[in-house]
Amino acid sequence: MRQNRLGKSKVQVTELGFGGGPLGGLFEPLSDECAAQTLEAAWDSGIRYFDTSPHYGIGHSERRTGELLRGKPREEWTLSTKVGRLLVPQDPAGRMDETFAVPATHRRVWDFTRDGVVRSVEDSLERMGVDRIDVLFLHDAEERFEDALREGYPALAELRAQGTVGAIGAGMYHPGKLTRLVKESDVDAVMLSGRYTLLDHSALDELLPVCTDRGVSVLAASVFNSGLLATARPAESATFDYAPATPQLRERAHRMADVCEAHGVTLPAVAMAFPLRHPAVSGIVVGMRSADEVRRNVAAFGVEIPAALWDDLRGEGLLDERAPV
């Protein structure tokens, strides 16, 4: 699988990266056995970039990711995790976590201070049992952006200068906040969630041009917009950005599916291919929760998309004229 470098760093990622959200029990429980099988399938399929976070399952995703990677040659894989939330142990008292389907053994405490960042990295390394982290992101800082920019970013830059991490950036869904970060700092990459997809082109307004100008890599996450683009035809119950998709969005996805079928490809294959057509995008990150899902996604990712398909999507008014294809 092809690899690309992140910004001016030496860190490389496979164009298809493994998103660790489902490993934390996103939406429904996931056993250790199923998680291990999913990760092994990703490795066997050629994926060498793995993204995780303390937030995902209050540590479950990091622990499970580390269990795979510790057994693989260190020079062959790239690992990213995130900072901004510290995990504080607590008595679950029979309760489940409010976001992931795991017992509430920890609570999250927001902390973008230097000490918080350093402690978060130390905790993540211990949970995963690995020697270093390749890419470190400020995570979900939309509502705490000033703290993340003024305190969190300098801490990340310090860790990069020390060689503790190889590349730094931020993972958010807000293109405007990421644009400001790129303009006011020296990050290597940003992970953008759900804002450069077949259905949402808002990153074309500012973020992608600024990243291109400054040599900052973009990792496009949530390329299926949480489900609407994940199947050949969207179901009535399909979600968009973790909420029920509107009839208008479902109708737009069906029109896209018509074009895909006319060219002998599927909507998920095109959804994965689309972001990578932009020169600023170094890779996509897709969350996967089973070995079968991994194999389906990898097969779809490998499909060659006919050039005429992009012309037809434009002709139908379904693709922004500014999007390079």
Side-chain angles (χ1 to χ4, degrees):
M1 193 175 291
R2 197 165 89 172
Q3 299 197 19
N4 295 315
R5 190 173 64 159
L6 295 183
K8 301 184 240 358
S9 76
K10 295 180 180 179
V11 177
Q12 302 228 17
V13 296
T14 46
E15 286 192 328
L16 176 58
F18 184 95
L23 295 183
L26 184 63
F27 300 130
E28 59 186 73
L30 188 72
S31 68
D32 283 346
E33 180 182 10
C34 185
Q37 291 171 351
T38 304
L39 285 160
E40 284 289 357
W43 183 272
D44 291 344
S45 298
I47 294 173
R48 293 295 182 268
Y49 171 43
F50 296 84
D51 174 68
T52 184
S53 169
H55 171 55
Y56 302 154
I58 47 176
H60 277 64
S61 177
E62 284 192 322
R63 175 177 58 80
R64 288 165 165 171
T65 302
E67 286 172 358
L68 170 87
L69 296 180
R70 287 196 304 272
K72 307 299 183 184
R74 183 60 184 91
E75 68 279 4
E76 291 188 18
W77 47 265
T78 301
L79 170 66
S80 62
T81 193
K82 307 179 181 79
V83 297
R85 297 174 177 93
L86 292 173
L87 303 183
V88 179
Q90 66 178 7
D91 181 358
R95 293 176 291 115
M96 298 295 284
D97 180 64
E98 67 271 18
T99 308
F100 293 81
V102 295
T105 56
H106 295 73
R107 60 185 176 88
R108 299 169 181 83
V109 177
W110 287 101
D111 194 333
F112 286 104
T113 66
R114 179 189 179 281
D115 288 347
V117 167
V118 171
R119 177 181 162 189
S120 183
V121 170
E122 291 172 348
D123 290 348
S124 291
L125 288 170
E126 183 176 355
R127 269 191 296 272
M128 292 187 285
V130 297
D131 61 341
R132 72 177 185 277
I133 295 161
D134 299 297
V135 191
L136 192 61
F137 292 115
L138 302 166
H139 196 197
D140 292 345
E142 282 84 357
E143 303 302 319
R144 296 165 176 81
F145 185 74
E146 294 301 327
D147 291 341
L149 179 62
R150 303 304 173 201
E151 299 185 65
Y153 162 70
L156 264 60
E158 181 182 337
L159 291 170
R160 180 180 60 185
Q162 294 170 350
T164 304
V165 298
I168 60 172
M172 290 189 272
Y173 64 84
H174 196 296
K177 298 285 176 68
L178 286 174
T179 299
R180 188 175 159 205
L181 176 74
V182 171
K183 287 181 175 179
E184 298 184 21
S185 71
D186 180 28
V187 294
D188 303 293
V190 295
M191 183 175 288
L192 177 66
S193 179
R195 296 297 174 263
Y196 192 55
T197 72
L198 284 177
L199 290 169
D200 190 325
H201 305 144
S202 54
L204 286 168
D205 296 336
E206 288 187 282
L207 179 60
L208 289 171
V210 168
C211 287
T212 300
D213 290 343
R214 293 183 63 89
V216 173
S217 293
V218 176
L219 295 166
S222 300
V223 296
F224 299 141
N225 284 120
S226 86
L228 189 55
L229 299 172
T231 56
R233 287 281 174 182
E236 289 292 315
S237 59
T239 57
F240 178 86
D241 287 357
Y242 305 102
T246 64
Q248 293 82 4
L249 280 170
R250 289 201 308 272
E251 190 269 340
R252 188 176 181 86
H254 275 293
R255 289 175 60 199
M256 289 180 168
D258 290 340
V259 176
C260 293
E261 288 180 3
H263 288 276
V265 295
T266 66
L267 186 57
V270 176
M272 285 191 281
F274 170 70
L276 287 163
R277 294 316 199 255
H278 197 287
V281 177
S282 293
I284 64 171
V285 178
V286 179
M288 295 175 258
R289 63 179 307 115
S290 72
D292 285 344
E293 191 173 347
V294 169
R295 287 187 279 268
R296 285 197 303 272
N297 284 333
V298 170
F301 182 77
V303 170
E304 185 171 349
I305 308 301
L309 175 141
W310 306 114
D311 294 333
D312 288 351
L313 285 175
R314 279 212 174 108
E316 293 287 330
L318 296 170
L319 205 60
D320 194 306
E321 291 291 336
R322 299 171 296 170
V325 292

